[in-house]
Amino acid sequence: MVVNVGLEKGLKLRWIDTLNEETGWTGDGDVLDWLYKLTGRRLNLSSGELATFFEQLGFMREQVTSLHFGESPALECLQERLQGISLTINEEHDLNGLPLLMARQASNSDADFLKSVCDTLLIQFAAFLSEALDSQSSPKIVRCEGLFREEQQERKRLGALPAQRESAWRAEISLIHEAEPRVADEIQRCEDLFVLSSKAKFCSDACRFATFQISKQLKEPGYMKEKQRRYRNRKEKH
């Protein structure tokens, strides 16, 4: 049996996971590496072909933002994007990270393969959005409340929202709102999205710990210096 060495165990094509992956991408090479890990297939794609993929992810991210803040999602635009998509069964779904139900490819070209991936994500998202709008008890998507430090000019990740939209998410975090403007500019909110649960606020323990550290620094400016002093003292004793 031929083994696709590019496959990363456990990596699956899901719309919300893809949006989270995108926030770590800084260029075309990152998405090509991700596709390789997902499918084991090295794709030769132009920047224009990838731009269409990024635009689709941006559309979904904007609809999540609209839904979260009680705005009306762009359903007519979603309908237009869904037109012409036909479905097929991915018979090799157990050999790659692609789902059983996929958007059909028009050809075997790399560009059409990417379009199939792109359309599959849109179908998944449309199913989620339909459920979210139909039922008050349906799963809701929220954003991690984790914080990290990074200068605004350093932010070159492809999944970042426009500043005006990002400011609405930032306004939910009291620590950012209460910090001095100079300090607040350095504090960013984690972009990861996940399904709401009764206690979940963070996407990971690492995000929780980083947020705790920032919170302590803001409330107790001498916290880090004191922590470092204690650490040095422990090392000297040993």
Side-chain angles (χ1 to χ4, degrees), residues 15-158:
W15 74 268
I16 192 169
D17 294 340
T18 304
L19 290 185
N20 290 342
E21 287 282 347
E22 188 196 17
T23 63
W25 299 339
T26 58
D28 292 354
D30 292 327
V31 67
L32 291 174
D33 288 343
W34 171 76
L35 285 165
Y36 179 57
K37 292 175 183 178
L38 178 73
T39 67
R41 179 171 172 174
R42 281 289 183 192
L43 302 178
N44 184 16
L45 298 163
S46 69
S47 294
E49 289 162 345
L50 287 171
T52 301
F53 177 63
F54 295 137
E55 192 278 331
Q56 187 92 295
L57 297 185
F59 171 77
M60 291 189 290
R61 192 181 302 279
E62 172 60 24
Q63 304 321 302
V64 170
T65 300
S66 295
L67 190 66
H68 179 78
F69 290 106
E71 303 165 1
S72 298
L75 296 181
E76 290 187 8
C77 186
L78 176 61
Q79 176 63 34
E80 291 176 2
R81 290 169 182 257
L82 291 170
Q83 287 179 0
I85 298 177
S86 59
L87 302 177
T88 188
I89 297 298
N90 171 26
E91 296 180 353
E92 297 184 349
H93 68 95
D94 56 343
L95 300 177
N96 55 40
L98 301 176
L100 176 65
L101 188 65
M102 288 279 297
R104 188 184 301 276
Q105 288 180 236
S107 74
N108 289 326
S109 71
D110 287 355
D112 281 335
F113 178 76
L114 178 65
K115 186 177 187 306
S116 173
V117 170
C118 191
D119 289 345
T120 298
L121 291 171
L122 187 67
I123 291 167
Q124 292 177 352
F125 176 72
F128 156 75
L129 190 60
S130 174
E131 185 179 1
L133 293 174
D134 278 349
S135 173
Q136 293 294 324
S137 60
S138 64
K140 292 180 174 58
I141 300 298
V142 294
R143 185 165 152 181
C144 177
E145 295 185 15
L147 303 176
F148 61 97
R149 287 186 180 274
E150 183 180 70
E151 294 284 354
Q152 283 285 0
Q153 57 266 30
E154 294 177 4
R155 304 204 73 197
K156 299 178 181 179
R157 289 186 294 279
L158 298 175

Side-chain angles (χ1 to χ4, degrees), residues 138-143 193-201:
S138 64
K140 292 180 174 58
I141 300 298
V142 294
R143 185 165 152 181
L193 304 166
F194 56 90
V195 177
L196 176 67
S197 67
S198 59
K199 297 181 180 179
K201 287 187 176 182

